[in-house]
Amino acid sequence: MTAVDPKKTWRSLYSAPREPELMTVPPRPYLLVDGAGAPGGPAYLAAVTSLYPVAYALRAAVKEATGTAYTVMPLEGLWWAEEIERFRELPRSAWLWTMMISLPDDVAAVPAADLVERTTAARDLPAPVRLEHFGDGEAAQVLHVGPYSAEAPTVDALHSFVEASGRELTGRHHEIYLSDPRRVAPERLRTIIRQPVTA
């Protein structure tokens, strides 16, 4: 058996400096669940509860098919609102999101789409999980250290960096949760804040 940590294989996509930088993010296979409402609310919890069983079922299938046991990737989220210019003013109940988990290329060795469907049905998961490719393309990113509720200054600094670079914001605000909030103190949480940009 070969143990693989995709975060190390794709280190440039799952690490970021404390100062903003530009990068290019190619499309990768992902498990995704769409929803609306506050983080931690019923819809959000249903999404997360549905993603992980499917992610681990795919991992088991890949291990059986190839002998490679990979580490399940961290949770990620895309966040937006119908009135994006008012995102920060809106109550969290008005937020829209897609929660997702990246998959390694090894999933091509198994009938992944069929496994997603069968696992969702067999486990009676509360939210529909889909499999598709996603990539931010050209983006700016920065590492935020601290509680999620204190992200605003980090996001502002990232947006200022984008403006100073002569680019414009596009797409959806992207967060990658490198830390498990159940095990890490709020002040030590590490989150990559990523924003697609256009020239």
Side-chain angles (χ1 to χ4, degrees):
M1 184 189 76
T2 303
V4 173
D5 185 350
K7 292 194 302 300
K8 294 179 180 177
T9 304
W10 297 93
R11 188 180 300 277
S12 64
L13 303 180
Y14 290 92
S15 62
R18 296 292 294 269
E19 297 296 325
E21 65 174 0
L22 291 169
M23 65 178 312
T24 301
V25 185
R28 309 242 349 105
Y30 272 86
L31 297 173
L32 309 95
V33 176
D34 299 318
Y44 179 91
L45 293 177
V48 175
T49 300
S50 298
L51 278 170
Y52 280 100
V54 178
Y56 279 99
L58 283 172
R59 178 186 183 274
V62 169
K63 180 181 176 182
E64 182 177 353
T66 69
T68 297
Y70 62 84
T71 303
V72 171
M73 297 293 277
L75 185 68
E76 305 183 34
L78 305 177
W79 299 89
W80 73 100
E82 293 291 352
E83 301 175 80
I84 192 60
E85 67 282 354
R86 295 185 56 231
F87 183 80
R88 292 189 185 179
E89 305 169 24
L90 294 170
R92 301 200 304 171
S93 59
W95 290 0
L96 304 174
W97 41 260
T98 297
M99 304 313 297
M100 52 195 198
I101 295 176
S102 176
L103 301 169
D105 294 331
D106 301 86
V107 296
V110 300
D114 182 56
L115 279 166
V116 169
E117 185 175 332
R118 285 194 283 117
T119 303
T120 300
R123 298 288 296 272
D124 193 24
L125 298 176
V129 180
R130 71 183 190 279
L131 174 68
E132 66 181 47
H133 279 69
F134 169 81
D136 297 284
E138 187 177 8
Q141 70 172 13
V142 68
L143 179 67
H144 171 75
V145 179
Y148 306 131
S149 58
E151 286 181 357
T154 305
V155 174
D156 288 342
L158 184 65
H159 289 183
S160 295
F161 168 79
V162 170
E163 183 179 355
S165 74
R167 293 166 172 82
E168 297 181 356
L169 308 180
T170 188
R172 294 169 178 172
H173 175 92
H174 184 176
E175 298 189 356
I176 302 172
Y177 307 106
L178 300 177
S179 306
D180 185 340
R182 299 170 299 177
R183 297 183 174 89
V184 177
E187 64 273 13
R188 296 178 58 198
L189 291 172
R190 298 168 65 250
T191 305
I192 295 176
I193 308 295
R194 186 175 291 163
Q195 176 62 54
V197 299
T198 185

